[in-house]
């Protein structure tokens, strides 16, 4: 047995068809996603008029206050596209003729809505033909096009039907005529990034390099001077007014990451979803073009995000004002916007960085975002959604059945439906396990089929057992992620311990001839961890969060007798984790004892000179992703911590990233 | 010597002419108010067009974005009136022919702007004659009238000239024709209270009881059903839409305290300034009419405010949204609105309750609001103002030279100019000292003049020495306030200790024959006190504030090397108070040692499993009222407290109100 210190491996996700899940954590969620969320979302899109809007009845330009009319919203095409994409991922693993017929019909409507020149946008065709392609800064034509391309790629891969692909290739070629560096072209790019990463997908499916080049053009043109959005505004007869446009940004176009060329960007700024989609495309281009400068830009931006601007839940973008970033270390909990789509976008970016570099830090954050912010955004019933994902609620925050800007529900839905893409990576030399669960992965090494059987109760338990189905022993590299949150991973092959000291970048690589008799046992101990935020995080001062494995915990009002701000966890308090099968479909909860301030001796007094008395009270913390599913009430991720003085001389070792 | 346990004494303020101040705390502020603020405010009113607006050039109804035009704002009359009132208080103690000529000219303009029917409002006369008296809910006609009446009363008392009084009596009689319970009258009342307390002043000056009755009508009609504001809206052809009008109120018209009759109100709700002005009028009416039910309503509202809805600075109204109240115990620090005018209004109300009941709790809060929230609102230079007065700033909060709604600067200015009204109270039996300072008070007992000489370095030191000038020994009651914040007041008359155990309601009453040889020494020890908020105040959990005497302290970035949230005060840390003559014109600061979290061992790490290391750092706390006058930076009133565990068994005595 050897622990091969390979150079960084570049991974490719497995096709969805080659991955099965039969675990107790994800599988029920994916089933609900398929059987409830998918039809529910279609129903909502029908209800608000997004389906009928494809009939292109011209109407006056009136944006309704509520999404109850049939006047199209500017981004409905993208919502339909995300639904189609979700269906496509579902059909890949669960053939369903009725569902396929439903999506075929929708694709037919979309095809019929395409203009004779290839242009395809419901809103501008029906509502504002004169406004077409005149304001990429604010209007979402290229954004919608990107989602439609993603939908077409997934639909083609799942069904083999090429109508939609043809429609979108035609629209793409139309757009390539409009935007470019030719004499009659506009040196433009979208205000809301999305099409760039979609074009890479289109390139990968079709092999047509012009789509990749178009993506490169859009990414590289971004932020060049003179600013396209300035030029475009002047072409409309408007004066570019950065003060009015920039959503409080210090710089013009920081809101849409167009303040300077992407290779010069080193701060994650502006609208969080847009940022994630742009960086995902940059990582894609870095991979496809071997462009080191783009990779370095991504690494700098990643470092900025993860060291200064990220919630412990994997959420990002604290401000509702710009749906995005504010300043370093500004991470408010109760007003945290942390939009679902931003965390979904972070998963996209993290996966691309992981595949590009083989570095486990990207898998760590992908996992953190997925198990916490992303999963929190959809209820276990599959039909209630958070648009924003605060880390503290005073009782007034609950999931909604719909949102006036319904981007998030179908975004989570398509991510869940394609979860198989995120679990494994294959390289020419073998397979890597990025996220642990129970199920199978089918892959090929040297022309021979291998089926990997994985069993675990992850994320509640860190024991993972692996076996293989193969016809004859076969030499390949099995790469196992050693999560950053885990202090003392243990590994055994056929009962024999493997030294993990050679593991690096968060993976151990085992290269040997594997046979059907081999068994690999990975143990990832999951003690309850206390997590502290950097001292510059004002909103974390004096507070502690609880984490176990990849799961971030919270305390809910349903489990406390007093307002949650009254609870203070002693530095020394023992905390135990127990799996409770009847709680929220089965979950591990953390229990212990806290101190709680008493108010009985404050009759009519608002301020006094003696500190509040405290009593002990039970603590119960539940996974953050599962909150707001019992009696409505408060929630807090960050709890006050009290106790032993933190003297400099006796300070413990700084510890690790959680 | 006897400590007479009088029944509650009702106090009347001394006329301003009978009070002098020669202390080192207030006198410099009053001089700046007179020599800088007063001309500065006139200049600002001139600059924005408020003076020219009196010329009544009709203009189209355009509300400018900036107060730089000459299109009147709806409340400019009130700002002019407050300036006149300030001038009047100034002239009462500092005759100044040039200033008097200036105010006479302004009064002349106001008189000339009065309509033939008696109506007087710059905005509606010039801009919107048809809108006159059609929307008391939103437009400020009665509010402006109230301020003009207050101005006329003060002007008349100071100058003896009756022109302005005549104008305002004529306008008042006009309004009494419009509003009332007669068959052709409107059962109306203002959306923004103010005129009610002004009418009581007008009654007190003129002795004309109809003004008092009109005030009673306006107060008692308030909140009766059917709601006047509903009727008024229908008369304009509008549908009353509570949802749009109520600034987030749960009930219709809670915003303007018109949701139910005033005697049924027991929660301080809505717009904070409006509430204070209403309650002040209720206290006035309770006093003038001997109306116990109004007094009880005031007492209930007071209890609600002080036990659930008040900042430690004497500020109130946490929300910018409605410029007012939210929910019980909701006292955010960094977003605290705590409008200057609300604290000024609280001083008005407190003084009236004090005069009505003789109860020192009202003096305690009057003092707290005055020395903290009110004084904070104007810089020592007399020309920079806070409109809102948060208890925490992250560095972006500074006083302004002007505000688009400039109600606060002249409100503070008139309060400072009339400070003499708040220091002493006289009853038939003697004099009471409400607030301590240095200076003299001239009063009469049984037809004989007494001059009381007071000397102290209050609020920096609690030693107060009193002597009298009188022709021959005279029997009267000297009532001395024993502040609620003081744990161990000591009193001596001619060196002989007085037992204070008989003091009640916050006053000790000394009735004896006083002579010019007598000396009274009151000692109010001022240790540094730690103050804690009720456990239901979420924003106070785990925090402590520092107070000494009536002064609330804060920590400023100018005195700290690290961000203020990193500071944690140990429960046991020694804190010392020192008067520093060179700091901010001379102030007592609190110094000690805190622990500060270090970030040096967090390279690139945002979260980790070991708590932050701490080092010791010096603490320097300065009076809250003096903040934002050195290098711009952060500020915090509430500091994190750490240290000894607060075990139930060893909990100290609950302590006192600070």
């Amino acid at each position: 047995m050897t622990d091969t210190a390979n150079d960084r491996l570049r991974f490719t996700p497995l096709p969805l068809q080659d991955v099965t899940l039969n675990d107790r954590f994800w599988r029920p969620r994916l089933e609900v996603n398929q059987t409830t969320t998918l039809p529910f979302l279609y129903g909502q899109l029908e209800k608000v008029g997004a389906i009928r809007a494809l009939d292109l009845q011209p109407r006056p330009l009136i944006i309704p206050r509520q999404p109850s009319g049939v006047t199209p919203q500017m981004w409905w095409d993208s919502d339909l596209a995300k639904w189609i994409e979700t269906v496509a991922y579902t059909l890949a693993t669960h053939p369903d003729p009725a569902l396929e017929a439903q999506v075929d019909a929708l694709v037919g409507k979309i095809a019929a809505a395409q203009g004779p020149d290839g242009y395809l946008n419901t809103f501008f065709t029906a509502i504002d033909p004169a406004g077409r392609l005149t304001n990429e800064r604010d209007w979402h034509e290229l954004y919608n096009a990107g989602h439609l391309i993603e939908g077409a790629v997934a639909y083609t891969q799942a069904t083999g039907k090429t109508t939609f692909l043809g429609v979108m290739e035609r629209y793409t070629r139309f757009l390539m005529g409009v935007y470019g560096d030719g004499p009659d072209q506009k040196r433009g790019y979208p205000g809301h990034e999305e099409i760039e990463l979609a074009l890479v997908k289109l390139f990968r499916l079709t092999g047509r390099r012009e789509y990749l080049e178009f993506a490169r053009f859009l990414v590289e043109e971004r932020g060049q001077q003179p600013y396209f959005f300035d030029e475009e505004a002047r072409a409309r007869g408007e004066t570019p007014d950065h003060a009015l446009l920039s959503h409080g940004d210090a710089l013009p176009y920081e809101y849409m990451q167009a303040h300077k060329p992407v290779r010069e960007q080193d701060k994650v700024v502006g609208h969080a979803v847009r940022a994630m989609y742009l960086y995902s495309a940059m990582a894609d281009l870095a991979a496809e073009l071997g462009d080191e400068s783009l990779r370095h830009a991504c690494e700098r931006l990643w470092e900025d995000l993860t060291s200064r601007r990220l919630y412990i839940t994997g959420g990002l973008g604290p401000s509702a004002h710009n749906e995005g970033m504010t300043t370093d270390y500004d991470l408010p909990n109760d007003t945290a916007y942390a939009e679902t789509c931003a965390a979904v976008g972070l998963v996209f970016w993290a996966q691309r960085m992981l595949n590009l570099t083989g570095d486990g830090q990207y898998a760590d954050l992908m996992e953190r975002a997925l198990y916490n912010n992303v999963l929190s955004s959809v209820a276990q019933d599959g039909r209630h959604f958070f648009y924003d994902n605060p880390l503290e609620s005073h009782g007034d925050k609950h999931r909604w059945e719909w949102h006036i800007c319904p981007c998030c529900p179908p975004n989570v839905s398509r991510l869940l439906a394609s979860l198989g893409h995120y679990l494994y990576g294959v390289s020419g030399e073998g397979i890597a396990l990025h996220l642990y669960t129970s199920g199978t992965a089918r892959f090929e090494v040297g022309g021979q089929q291998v089926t990997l059987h994985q069993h675990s109760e992850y994320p509640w338990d860190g024991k993972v057992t692996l076996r293989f189905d193969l016809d004859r022993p076969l030499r390949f590299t099995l790469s196992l992620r050693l999560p950053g949150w885990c202090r003392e991973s243990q590994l055994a092959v056929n009962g024999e311990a493997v030294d993990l000291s050679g593991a690096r970048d968060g993976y151990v690589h085992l290269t040997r001839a594997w046979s059907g008799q081999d068994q690999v046992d990975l143990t990832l101990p999951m003690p309850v961890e206390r997590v502290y935020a950097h001292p510059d995080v004002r909103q974390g001062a004096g507070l502690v969060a609880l984490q176990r494995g990849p799961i971030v915990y919270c305390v809910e009002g349903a489990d406390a007798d007093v307002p949650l701000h009254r609870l203070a966890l002693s530095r020394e308090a023992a905390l135990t984790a127990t799996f409770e099968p009847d709680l929220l479909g089965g979950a591990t909860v953390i229990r212990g004892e806290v101190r709680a301030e008493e108010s009985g001796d404050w009759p009519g007094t608002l301020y006094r000179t003696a500190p509040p008395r405290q009593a002990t009270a039970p603590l119960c913390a539940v996974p953050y992703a599962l909150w707001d599913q019992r009696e409505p009430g408060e929630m807090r991720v960050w709890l006050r911590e009290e106790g032993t003085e933190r003297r400099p001389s006796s300070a413990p070792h700084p510890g690790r990233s959680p």
Side-chain angles (χ1 to χ4, degrees), chain A:
Chain A
M1 181 182 314
T2 50
D3 176 9
T4 309
N6 283 326
D7 276 329
R8 282 180 170 179
L9 291 170
R10 289 209 180 167
F11 302 119
T12 310
L14 279 177
L16 289 180
Q17 301 87 309
D18 293 337
V19 177
T20 66
L21 276 156
N22 56 26
D23 72 316
R24 294 200 289 178
F25 185 87
W26 284 116
R27 188 170 164 170
R29 301 300 289 259
L30 303 193
E31 283 173 0
V32 167
N33 187 50
Q34 180 182 340
T35 58
T36 301
T37 307
L38 202 55
F40 175 77
L41 291 182
Y42 190 85
Q44 291 288 22
L45 290 167
E46 237 176 358
K47 203 158 94 182
V48 299
I51 313 287
R52 273 175 294 158
L54 287 170
D55 297 338
L56 301 181
Q57 299 299 326
R59 287 173 180 282
L61 178 57
I62 299 167
I63 306 291
R65 277 179 74 179
Q66 296 297 326
S68 52
V70 289
T71 305
Q73 288 186 324
M74 220 171 253
W75 48 74
W76 274 353
D77 287 358
S78 72
D79 297 321
L80 296 172
K82 280 185 271 190
W83 186 82
I84 293 169
E85 195 182 336
T86 310
V87 171
Y89 297 142
T90 301
L91 292 175
T93 49
H94 297 77
D96 178 338
L99 184 60
E100 187 163 338
Q102 188 184 10
V103 74
D104 287 351
L106 184 58
V107 163
K109 275 176 180 279
I110 291 172
Q114 186 165 40
D117 55 357
Y119 181 84
L120 173 54
N121 183 295
T122 312
F123 184 87
F124 285 95
T125 302
I127 302 291
D128 187 16
R132 178 174 134 161
L133 296 178
T134 58
N135 188 350
E136 275 312 310
R137 185 192 66 200
D138 304 323
W139 300 344
H140 287 44
E141 280 160 296
L142 291 175
Y143 167 84
N144 281 305
H147 276 298
L148 286 167
I149 291 169
E150 284 199 272
V153 168
Y155 173 83
T156 306
Q157 286 172 322
T159 65
K161 296 172 185 166
T162 57
T163 316
F164 196 10
L165 184 67
V167 167
M168 291 317 299
E169 286 201 69
R170 195 160 151 238
Y171 186 18
T172 301
R173 285 193 299 272
F174 168 85
L175 292 171
M176 288 165 62
V178 175
Y179 297 102
D181 51 13
D184 296 328
Q185 287 177 295
K186 292 197 265 190
R187 300 183 71 101
Y189 44 86
H192 196 316
E193 304 92 323
E194 155 61 32
I195 193 172
E196 302 88 340
L197 72 86
L199 288 168
V200 177
K201 286 187 175 183
L202 189 61
F203 155 70
R204 286 175 179 159
L205 178 67
T206 63
R208 295 199 176 104
R209 199 165 173 88
E210 66 242 50
Y211 302 142
L212 185 67
E213 290 301 328
F214 188 36
R216 170 153 71 173
F217 169 79
L218 294 175
V219 166
E220 293 190 335
E221 194 60 30
R222 194 164 203 87
Q224 303 290 349
Q225 298 216 26
Y227 292 123
F228 168 65
F229 297 139
D230 282 359
E231 306 273 295
E232 193 191 33
R234 281 188 276 267
R236 290 193 304 274
E238 296 169 12
T239 306
D241 186 341
H242 299 148
L244 287 181
L245 297 172
S246 52
H247 294 75
D249 285 347
L251 294 172
Y253 308 128
E254 221 175 44
Y255 173 68
M256 54 271 278
Q257 301 81 41
H259 52 303
K260 51 184 171 183
V262 298
R263 287 182 180 80
E264 297 170 23
Q265 296 189 23
D266 52 10
K267 297 294 296 177
V268 177
V269 296
H271 189 277
V273 183
R274 300 179 193 217
M276 294 303 104
Y277 287 180
L278 170 64
Y279 307 157
S280 294
M282 287 163 63
D284 278 339
L285 289 171
E288 293 299 340
L289 302 168
D291 187 321
E292 289 293 287
S293 62
L294 277 177
R295 181 167 67 79
H296 289 151
C298 283
E299 286 169 349
R300 278 197 308 275
L301 291 162
W302 184 271
E303 193 274 339
D304 181 60
L305 177 70
T306 56
S307 65
R308 285 179 284 272
R309 297 183 164 223
L310 184 72
Y311 285 102
I312 191 176
T313 53
L316 63 154
S319 171
H321 175 67
N322 64 346
E323 299 195 306
M325 311 311 290
T326 55
T327 54
D328 284 348
Y329 301 109
D330 180 38
L331 295 163
N333 294 306
D334 55 353
T335 61
Y337 198 67
E339 185 183 334
T340 298
C341 285
V344 169
L346 176 57
V347 171
F348 294 162
W349 184 29
Q351 185 204 30
R352 284 161 172 80
M353 294 303 289
L354 172 63
N355 290 337
L356 176 63
T357 66
D359 190 335
Q361 67 167 309
Y362 301 108
D364 285 347
L365 185 46
M366 182 173 85
E367 180 180 66
R368 177 181 296 276
L370 196 57
Y371 275 103
N372 299 289
N373 190 304
V374 169
L375 198 61
S376 166
S377 73
V378 54
Q380 286 173 313
D381 69 6
R383 44 187 292 156
H384 291 88
F385 308 92
F386 279 133
Y387 188 93
D388 45 328
N389 297 270
L391 283 76
E392 178 175 332
S393 164
H394 309 310
D396 52 352
K397 184 80 193 167
H398 309 291
R399 292 184 185 81
W400 303 353
E401 283 220 333
W402 201 239
H403 193 280
I404 190 166
C405 173
C407 52
C408 297
N411 220 356
V412 180
S413 188
R414 69 174 174 144
L415 176 56
L416 291 178
S418 61
L419 187 70
H421 278 154
Y422 298 85
L423 306 178
Y424 303 95
V426 285
S427 65
E429 302 173 48
I431 189 166
L433 278 71
H434 302 316
L435 303 175
Y436 298 104
T437 179
S438 280
T440 63
R442 204 169 57 223
F443 61 103
E444 242 179 46
V445 178
Q448 194 184 326
Q449 283 278 344
V450 183
T451 301
L452 179 151
H453 294 265
Q454 178 181 183
H455 179 76
S456 82
E457 292 294 339
Y458 205 90
W460 309 129
D461 185 83
K463 287 195 176 54
V464 183
T465 304
L466 306 177
R467 290 185 157 277
F468 305 97
D469 270 351
L470 26 62
D471 294 336
R472 52 179 172 78
L474 190 64
R475 186 172 180 85
F476 62 87
T477 300
L478 177 69
S479 300
L480 299 176
R481 173 171 160 256
L482 305 178
W485 52 258
C486 188
R487 210 182 282 257
E488 292 169 335
S489 308
Q490 297 149 34
L491 181 64
V493 177
N494 300 326
E496 193 182 326
V498 176
D499 175 16
L500 294 175
S501 61
R504 61 193 180 85
D505 291 335
Y507 283 85
V508 57
H509 305 285
L510 305 172
T511 305
R512 52 173 272 166
W514 297 97
S515 81
Q517 279 66 54
D518 290 333
Q519 177 172 320
V520 178
D521 291 290
L522 177 66
T523 305
L524 304 170
M526 292 181 171
V528 176
E529 299 273 13
R530 290 176 185 235
V531 184
Y532 302 88
H534 187 284
D536 279 336
V537 178
R538 184 177 73 244
Q539 300 94 346
L543 306 180
V544 65
L546 301 179
Q547 186 177 328
R548 182 178 177 274
I551 302 292
V552 173
Y553 280 76
C554 69
V555 176
E556 284 198 88
D559 295 312
D561 294 332
V562 296
L564 300 183
H565 67 265
R566 286 209 210 159
L567 306 182
L569 185 59
S570 166
R571 175 67 55 83
E572 293 77 25
L575 296 167
T576 57
T578 319
F579 182 78
E580 301 196 359
D582 298 330
L583 183 76
L584 297 162
T588 296
V589 302
I590 297 173
R591 292 186 186 275
E593 203 170 67
V594 285
R595 290 178 256 156
E597 282 154 10
E598 295 183 309
S599 59
D601 59 340
W602 289 73
T605 311
L606 187 51
Y607 301 104
R608 74 179 195 192
T609 56
R613 292 171 193 254
Q614 292 184 321
T616 56
L619 172 77
C620 174
V622 300
Y624 168 74
L626 302 181
W627 84 281
D628 191 41
Q629 299 192 99
R630 295 176 296 162
E631 53 185 284
E634 287 188 291
M635 182 277 291
R636 281 176 86 104
V637 169
W638 291 95
L639 304 173
R640 284 165 52 213
E641 192 180 49
E642 285 186 349
T644 307
E645 299 192 7
R646 305 173 188 175
R647 297 195 186 285
S649 55
S650 65
H653 182 269
R656 310 160 348 280
S657 290

